[in-house]
Amino acid sequence: MLSINNCQIQIEGGLITLPNITLEKGELLVITGPSGMGKSTFLHWLLGDSIRHANISGEIMLNGVPLSGVNIEQRRIGLLMQDVHLFPHLNVLDNICFALPHRLKDEQGSKLSRRQRKDSAMQMLSKINMGYVAEHYSHQLSGGERSRVGLVRALANQPQALLMDEPFAALDPDTSANVSQWAFSQLHERGVPSIMVSHDLNNIPTQAQHLDLANYFQQV
């Protein structure tokens, strides 16, 4: 469960006081609002990045653990951006292998071998019927394929929560609708609470919570 309480975002010319947010496993929150209102900045604050263009305060709890003072590497929060930066010199399978946590162990308690990590990555691709792109490189993928691979790679790292910043904005409307619904179903199935920033008010899932930052903005 991801909870965000007593959060305020101070931006140039105004203050945003958010309601308390609670996301259970597999739940999705979509954040919208005008440009410059701090949507992406809010995601990076949750991630643990240093914030330069706004002042943000609040309490973040992930599965009962307070994240104040926890560095970005230890928060176990994933980030999926609009531009999926796959390593161009690695094929899809190796890109996913790279994201697998080093702490993974086999049934005997030993760290996974390179072959076992590849097998694990291949299982993730095969489960969503994308095994056919395993040996492909980034430039050989369509936009929709790249977005799907980006999500698989993000989930391979076993995040306890996932943040998404306009992840499907570069896709054409039909592909965006299909890929986003597929992505939301994957996150729900895996029980990953997620927050997505979006400008597309027509593509908000009916089951998602929706937060328009403009509704909580006050000029100061």
Side-chain angles (χ1 to χ4, degrees):
M1 181 176 73
L2 175 64
S3 60
I4 304 153
N5 299 320
N6 305 316
C7 182
Q8 289 189 322
I9 306 171
Q10 186 173 5
I11 59 176
E12 185 176 354
L15 178 68
I16 301 167
T17 302
L18 295 181
N20 290 343
I21 297 166
T22 299
L23 293 173
E24 302 289 346
K25 290 184 177 182
E27 290 186 339
L28 170 70
L29 169 67
V30 177
I31 295 179
T32 60
S35 296
M37 195 156 278
K39 299 184 299 297
S40 296
T41 302
F42 175 65
L43 293 189
H44 284 277
W45 172 71
L46 293 171
L47 191 67
D49 281 339
S50 58
I51 304 300
R52 298 181 180 179
H53 305 296
N55 291 319
I56 305 181
S57 60
E59 304 162 357
I60 310 168
M61 297 276 290
L62 182 56
N63 296 329
V65 178
L67 296 186
S68 177
V70 177
N71 64 39
I72 190 171
E73 293 83 6
Q74 295 176 320
R75 291 195 177 197
R76 295 190 65 183
I77 296 178
L79 177 65
L80 186 62
M81 306 287 286
Q82 176 178 328
D83 296 322
V84 180
H85 295 294
L86 300 176
F87 294 114
H89 62 289
L90 299 179
N91 62 27
V92 167
L93 194 65
D94 286 335
N95 264 279
I96 295 172
C97 283
F98 185 85
L100 289 170
H102 292 292
R103 64 179 178 275
L104 291 183
K105 296 181 179 180
D106 60 21
E107 295 178 354
Q108 285 71 44
S110 301
K111 283 190 176 182
L112 297 185
S113 65
R114 179 175 174 80
R115 179 71 263 166
Q116 288 172 314
R117 291 173 70 85
K118 283 201 169 191
D119 288 344
S120 180
M122 191 64 196
Q123 287 173 10
M124 295 187 73
L125 285 172
S126 298
K127 187 175 180 180
I128 58 169
N129 300 315
M130 288 195 68
Y132 67 95
V133 301
E135 302 299 327
H136 290 190
Y137 290 82
S138 179
H139 70 276
Q140 297 174 300
L141 303 176
S142 68
E145 288 171 339
R146 192 175 295 110
S147 292
R148 287 184 171 94
V149 170
L151 180 64
V152 172
R153 187 179 64 173
L155 293 176
N157 196 240
Q158 298 185 352
Q160 294 184 357
L162 184 67
L163 310 175
M164 299 177 283
D165 195 352
E166 297 277 1
F168 314 117
L171 305 177
D172 66 78
D174 287 341
T175 303
S176 176
N178 291 333
V179 173
S180 61
Q181 288 301 319
W182 171 85
F184 302 146
S185 67
Q186 293 295 313
L187 293 168
H188 180 73
E189 179 182 325
R190 287 165 172 75
V192 179
S194 308
I195 297 178
M196 180 177 74
V197 162
S198 178
H199 283 101
D200 188 0
L201 296 176
N202 298 317
N203 198 24
I204 298 176
T206 55
Q207 72 273 21
Q209 299 181 39
H210 178 209
L211 199 63
D212 186 343
L213 296 190
N215 293 335
Y216 304 95
F217 174 80
Q218 291 181 320
Q219 288 187 333
V220 296

